């Protein structure tokens, strides 16, 4: 199962960017969709997760209040709206899918991954 991310790029600090994730070519009821990121030389960091219902979303402390995760189950897609971006948000962002339920804030909680999309925030 391969997830496909899109929407990364270069943006100035304070600006917005929207990432999208798709699970093409198949219908898969994924309990939790998430986004994680990895900056150069660091471990993969939890960004956000959304359960099937679309409610009770969860965010990492560093992005809470600035990022919004959503999903469209009919289209098998998940989106990450990023606002008020900061240079420290620069990283490769990964879309991930978990077949488990409950809190999914660790990379090891996820079963399927995309290849990642680069987000660079200039100061």
């Amino acid at each position: 199962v391969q997830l496909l991310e899109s929407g990364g790029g270069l943006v100035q600090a304070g600006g917005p960017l929207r990432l999208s994730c798709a699970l093409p070519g198949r219908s898969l009821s994924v309990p939790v969709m998430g986004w994680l990121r990895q900056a150069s030389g660091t471990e993969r960091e939890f960004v956000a997760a959304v359960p099937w219902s679309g409610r009770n979303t969860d965010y990492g402390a560093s992005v809470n209040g600035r990022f919004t995760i959503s999903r469209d189950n009919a289209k098998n897609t998940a989106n990450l709206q990023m606002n008020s971006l900061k240079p420290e948000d620069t990283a490769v962002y990964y879309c991930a899918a978990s077949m488990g339920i409950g809190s999914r804030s660790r990379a090891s909680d996820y079963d399927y991954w995309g290849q990642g999309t680069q987000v660079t925030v200039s100061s």
Side-chain angles (χ1 to χ4, degrees), residues 36 53 57 68 79 82 101:
L36 295 91
S53 66
T57 52
T68 302
N79 299 306
M82 304 184 293
I101 60 174

Side-chain angles (χ1 to χ4, degrees), residues 19-39:
L19 304 182
S20 295
C21 173
L23 191 61
R26 61 186 295 161
S27 175
L28 180 65
S29 299
V30 176
V32 178
M33 297 289 294
W35 288 92
L36 295 91
R37 68 186 183 185
Q38 188 166 19

Side-chain angles (χ1 to χ4, degrees), residues 4-26:
L4 297 177
E5 302 103 337
S6 62
L10 175 64
V11 62
Q12 286 190 333
L17 201 62
R18 184 178 177 87
L19 304 182
S20 295
C21 173
L23 191 61
R26 61 186 295 161

Side-chain angles (χ1 to χ4, degrees), residues 62-68 81-86 89:
S62 61
V63 307
N64 196 23
R66 299 187 296 123
F67 291 10
T68 302
Q81 178 65 44
M82 304 184 293
N83 296 327
S84 302
L85 281 161
K86 305 174 182 180
D89 294 318

